Amino acid sequence: MRKMMGMKFFANAISVYRNYCSHSFSNSIVQKAYESGNKVKKNKPKVHKAKIKLTDEQNNVLDHVRGGLSVFITGSAGTGKTVLLKHIIKILKKTYGESGVFVTASTGIAACALGGQTLHSFAGIRIGDGNRGMLLDLVLNDREARRRWNKAQVLVIDEISLVDADLFDKLEYIAKTVRESDKVWGGIRLVVSGDFFQLPPIFKGHDPSRKEFAFEADCWDASFDIQVELTKIFRQSENRFIKLLQGVRRGNSDPEDLQFLKQSCSASEPHPSAVRLYPRIDDVNKVNEEKMKALSEEQVIYEAIDRGKKPWKRQLALGLAPDKLVLCKGARVMLIKNLNVMHRLVNGATGIVTGFTETKGGTVLSPDNLLPVVKFDSGPEMVIEPQKWYVMVGSRPVAWRLQLPLVLAWALSIHKCQGMSLDRIHTDLSRAFGYGMVYVALSRVRSLDGLHLSGFSPSKIKAHPKVLEFYSHLA
Ligand code: ADP
Ligand code: MG
């Protein structure tokens, strides 16, 4: 049986090996940071412990978790789902030990916020392409992935709205098969969180009959003992703004509220420190390039090195690593690969380039052999070295790209910022598309003061009918 699936996979699967390998990195990069002179040192991450008093509804969920239940936690943006998850993770780790609790999220940035890894990286399914047999085969051929599935007693997943129904079912199948158990998820407890009114999973092509949302998965209901909705919103405190956001979330906004939004947030110029959010990646790139130019610092150009046969090599450009990366001192950057999960140097971690250091040996990506030094927002400062991205046929690499695992991060896509709380944003929604996008963008900011808006029109606000129906049943 196993062998047959393996053959099928080798025949069919070609996938870009993106940023989903986390386990095999040692501390060597952090170590190098220590060794390469005075300028580069690893600072102890600063821990700001804000005293948060959980509400009764949050505490109720904690009690269910203490009682050993599998839970789905939902609620509007900013109801403290992620904050609650952090408390839950602490309790779970006390109960099951560090090694029994796997913390994941659907995006790198959300995973970073919880000190976890992406769901794909945990699962060992690379970019998740292929039928369940192919994905199972990837896992079975990866000793570390098998170990994770077998060790897991609890799996935490944040930002579930971006995980599609099929993937949810496939992962449940993998769990059962790897763990050789008939129980749902092979006996792994789930603690899952997210808001389906936010961004839906991304699909290529259009197929109206397709299941989309994770709540449509065959195993969804069986996966949870309880499904709870948090109702108290913390991220925002202005009642008018909260009411407005609730309308946008459900796609039935009060026209007066929208008029008020337009008037109050579109007048003056955006604040210079505002993070810029865009629906489309080409706008993100344009703004990042402009910000770089404005720094007027000497730029270092890193050209990716691609190797392999032509048809495979072309696929490298579809991955996350850019063909050409331009950096300078002061550039705001984000990691696009997990370097060291323990040190929270994971896909989504942001920081600033503080300088460059000369390399000795290794493959050269820049003319002067310079590597950037990045001070991460989470504390560590380190030299960033080139990493490899592979195109695989089965378990055989057929092409690879060598590039620094960084992108510029003054501007972000709305997709990437789901889950963040931001003080000041400027968002241009003229190119917004699909469901939930306007809601995700607007609900990032804590107050109307910090919101600057352009390109907004009420027709861009959309809530998916299936999501409305799911929540009507939940209530
Ligand atoms: P969500 O994941 O639901 O979008 P977050 O967990 O990111 O929301 O929380 C949003 C904001 O609300 C954060 O700034 C967080 O500190 C705050 N918050 C969450 N729960 C509480 C609480 N019980 N008391 C005070 N502030 C809270
Ligand atoms: Mg969250």
Side-chain angles (χ1 to χ4, degrees), residues 229 250 466-475:
E229 189 168 7
R250 305 189 78 93
K466 280 187 197 166
V467 173
L468 283 162
E469 199 195 317
F470 172 75
Y471 278 91
S472 71
H473 291 309
L474 204 62

Side-chain angles (χ1 to χ4, degrees), residues 52-55 58 76-84 234-235 419 421 446:
I52 284 185
K53 191 175 175 303
L54 296 184
T55 59
Q58 287 171 324
S76 301
T79 45
K81 299 183 292 298
T82 302
V83 163
L84 179 57
F234 291 99
R235 187 174 292 132
S421 295
R446 295 188 173 91

Side-chain angles (χ1 to χ4, degrees), residues 240 243 252-262 456 458:
R240 178 138 204 195
K243 175 171 167 280
N252 63 354
S253 306
D254 183 339
E256 251 179 53
D257 280 345
L258 294 183
Q259 195 52 34
F260 170 72
L261 176 71
K262 258 182 133 168
F456 174 72

Side-chain angles (χ1 to χ4, degrees), residues 89-161:
I89 291 161
K90 253 192 236 156
I91 290 175
L92 290 171
K93 285 190 171 171
K94 268 191 204 146
T95 313
Y96 295 103
E98 290 279 332
S99 59
V101 182
F102 285 86
V103 178
T104 75
S106 56
T107 70
I109 296 181
C112 185
L114 279 176
Q117 60 191 327
T118 62
L119 179 61
H120 286 69
S121 143
F122 158 78
I125 55 167
R126 303 208 181 119
I127 61 169
D129 267 357
N131 62 34
R132 65 183 201 171
M134 290 168 171
L135 297 189
L136 176 65
D137 224 59
L138 282 178
V139 175
L140 293 176
N141 283 313
D142 177 342
R143 201 162 56 102
E144 279 300 309
R146 268 191 342 253
R147 186 193 63 83
R148 289 194 294 273
W149 279 110
N150 278 316
K151 278 229 146 185
Q153 303 209 52
V154 192
L155 176 62
V156 177
I157 312 173
D158 200 4
E159 298 300 349
I160 191 72
S161 73

